[in-house]
Amino acid sequence: MTGRAWGVLFVLCGAIFLEGIDVAMLNVALPAIRDDLDLSTGTLQWVMSAYVLGYGGFMLLGGRAADLFGRRRMFVLWLVVFLLFSGLGGLASEGWMLIVARFVTGVAAAFMTPAGLSIITTGFPEGPQRDKALLVYAGTAAGGFSIGLVVGGLLSAIDWRWVFFAPVILSLGILLAALALIPASPRPDRGGQGVDLAGAVTVTAGILLLVFGVERATHVPAAWTVGTVGTALLLFLAFAVIERASSSPLVRPGIFRSGSLVRANVAGLLFAAGFFGFQFIVVLYLQELRGWSSLQTSFALIVIGVDAVLSPLLTPKLVARFGHARVIFGGLLVASLSYALFLPLGADWTYAAMFPGLLLLGVAFSLVYGPLTIVATDGVAEEEQGVAGGLLYTSFQFGAALGLSAVTAVNITATDGASPAALLDGYRAALVVPLAAALIAAAVSASGLRTRRARADSAPVGGHRAGPESSDAPGGVEQPAGLGS
């Protein structure tokens, strides 16, 4: 890769690092925020849920906007919005102010993240160069989350408002670097394509309601949840009808004919559900049952951040030797083993007893996250790279919300009382959820191994790198465009 390409990758890695560190720091700062602003548990939960709603609800629309209006333009514009509202969050004096700031920050991330990913996937030629760039990108995202856990603990000890002000400083540096390094490009020629407003409204409303319903499932009556989720499903049905009839759909239905893309999204959803659900339960165990401080908990979990080192160094070698499908499958099995090691969780486990499972989870993340990103965007036409990225990140975000809701529901149901033994029973029961999610994801991924083997058996001698399983993209597979398109 050229020096300019590395510079662009550096900027985009900075943005995904910013997104990861922002979320992680807030997780650790929640107790301090509650004490200072005198927030109820319900309001505090909305500080987190507002970001999830904005991020997950608008991700698909953000991906399509990058394709239609220019990736660099969308990246820079929404980075500015991210910067402004992160700062406003630090100035909040009421709970509702913080919730609004977090929602808009999530929306900004939903437009910024797929734009950044699509700059990589269109700017680096498909093959080893793009794979390497995406694995470095994935490792940086993981590093941001891991480092954010520790930095958030340190900043919260000073003043929780610095958890919001610190990203402002970082995002300002990234913005200046983006303006200098990401080359300007002309507005994409949409060739008469209009904005699919009806599709955008229905799918965004559907995702918002679905994430909202899952997030609130443990706090409201079951009938309310069923009604919310049912309404969301009706909106998705309306979206499918609109897309089939539209001359310029938000998401072309034919994109789902790619088996690899569908498998990557389903596996990504399940993997995120297990990963975030597991971390949530472990944090509760360490802080509620063991009495560890937020900073002690942060340092305990930082071992998961080993993926920040393994993703760019080890994973590319494994992918080159075994292929994406086998590496993803292996990573999901490693994740399953990690969760299984925690099932006999004890009331007085030493950190040495927890360390192998946490380390294996970091290894699993390095084997799954980056390769899934590659598979979900490989072979997709250039004009749909933003949508492909938006689909994947929507799956990750909804999976996180689903996993958190599921482990919370199981934990509440299985906890009979407030004694240490009752709390431990609830944690053990909830830890079955991430294990089940990882095993189902591995089964989904295994079907890709069979498809790949069948394709290899039927391929002619001297064949070339395979494209998508279904090549119905408009214009076929195009040559990569320059960076910043």
Side-chain angles (χ1 to χ4, degrees):
M1 288 190 287
T2 65
R4 182 63 174 267
W6 276 111
V8 173
L9 182 59
F10 173 79
V11 172
L12 299 175
C13 285
I16 199 67
F17 178 86
L18 170 68
E19 194 270 329
I21 199 173
D22 177 79
V23 173
M25 288 194 303
L26 181 62
N27 284 342
V28 179
L30 287 175
I33 294 172
R34 182 213 291 265
D35 292 341
D36 190 32
L37 297 184
D38 193 25
L39 303 182
S40 66
T41 300
T43 303
L44 190 69
Q45 186 259 343
W46 271 111
V47 173
M48 289 297 299
S49 295
Y51 184 88
V52 172
L53 281 172
Y55 198 173
F58 286 84
M59 183 71 73
L60 196 55
L61 182 58
R64 186 56 176 159
D67 291 332
L68 289 177
F69 303 112
R71 299 176 178 98
R72 180 185 187 271
R73 185 174 291 106
M74 288 292 102
F75 179 80
V76 170
L77 171 63
W78 289 99
L79 178 57
V80 172
V81 177
F82 189 99
L83 181 158
L84 291 174
F85 278 85
S86 182
L88 289 174
L91 298 174
S93 58
E94 300 285 344
W96 68 266
M97 298 178 183
L98 194 53
I99 290 170
V100 171
R102 290 306 293 169
F103 178 77
V104 179
T105 304
V107 173
F111 280 82
M112 182 177 71
T113 303
L117 177 62
S118 61
I119 289 174
I120 295 177
T121 55
T122 58
F124 292 89
E126 190 172 319
Q129 283 193 34
R130 184 190 293 180
D131 291 359
K132 183 177 182 180
L134 287 173
L135 291 172
V136 170
Y137 185 74
T140 306
F145 189 83
S146 301
I147 293 171
L149 290 173
V150 177
V151 174
L154 293 172
L155 292 178
S156 297
I158 302 171
D159 189 335
W160 65 264
R161 295 181 187 277
W162 277 103
V163 168
F164 294 92
F165 295 147
V168 172
I169 299 171
L170 180 58
S171 56
L172 182 59
I174 295 169
L175 175 62
L176 295 175
L179 292 172
L181 293 174
I182 300 179
S185 58
R187 184 183 295 269
D189 179 10
R190 298 198 293 272
Q193 296 183 66
V195 178
D196 181 15
L197 186 59
V201 170
T202 52
V203 74
T204 301
I207 294 173
L208 282 170
L209 277 177
L210 189 59
V211 175
F212 180 69
V214 169
E215 279 283 317
R216 299 295 297 167
T218 56
H219 306 281
V220 297
W224 189 95
T225 300
V226 170
T228 304
V229 173
T231 303
L233 294 178
L234 288 175
L235 285 169
F236 287 137
L237 180 61
F239 172 69
V241 173
I242 291 169
E243 297 307 279
R244 288 189 176 279
S246 175
S247 59
S248 54
L250 183 70
V251 181
R252 183 177 54 85
I255 199 172
F256 294 107
R257 295 176 192 167
S258 169
S260 58
L261 180 144
V262 172
R263 277 192 302 274
N265 278 271
V266 174
L269 185 152
L270 292 167
F271 180 70
F275 183 81
F276 285 96
F278 172 81
Q279 283 198 331
F280 180 72
I281 293 299
V282 170
V283 168
L284 290 181
Y285 165 75
L286 292 176
Q287 295 192 9
E288 290 188 348
L289 184 63
R290 304 297 298 277
W292 290 23
S293 69
S294 58
L295 192 57
Q296 287 175 310
T297 302
S298 300
F299 277 113
L301 297 180
I302 198 172
V303 64
I304 300 175
V306 69
D307 56 344
V309 177
L310 297 180
S311 289
L313 298 180
L314 176 63
T315 308
K317 297 176 182 178
L318 295 177
V319 167
R321 181 168 182 179
F322 300 107
H324 299 114
R326 289 190 178 93
V327 172
I328 292 170
F329 179 69
L332 292 169
L333 292 181
V334 173
S336 301
L337 176 60
S338 167
Y339 301 144
L341 289 175
F342 267 82
L343 289 181
L345 187 68
D348 56 353
W349 264 22
T350 63
Y351 184 63
M354 293 180 262
F355 184 81
L358 296 174
L359 179 62
L360 284 175
L361 184 56
V363 173
F365 197 98
S366 70
L367 298 178
V368 175
Y369 184 75
L372 273 180
T373 305
I374 295 168
V375 172
T377 55
D378 245 7
V380 176
E382 180 188 333
E383 65 268 21
E384 293 184 315
Q385 283 291 331
V387 168
L391 283 169
L392 181 64
Y393 282 117
T394 298
S395 297
F396 280 142
Q397 199 65 27
F398 178 65
L402 184 63
L404 288 169
S405 181
V407 297
T408 300
V410 173
N411 182 40
I412 291 173
T413 303
T415 303
D416 185 16
S419 67
L423 291 175
L424 188 60
D425 288 341
Y427 300 146
R428 285 175 174 168
L431 285 170
V432 175
V433 174
L435 175 59
L439 289 173
I440 297 171
V444 171
S445 179
S447 66
L449 298 177
R450 293 193 297 271
T451 302
R452 187 175 183 275
R453 187 179 301 114
R455 195 163 56 238
D457 291 341
S458 62
V461 176
H464 54 80
R465 177 185 173 100
E469 291 178 10
S470 175
S471 182
D472 66 332
V477 179
E478 301 184 3
Q479 294 298 316
L483 287 166
S485 61

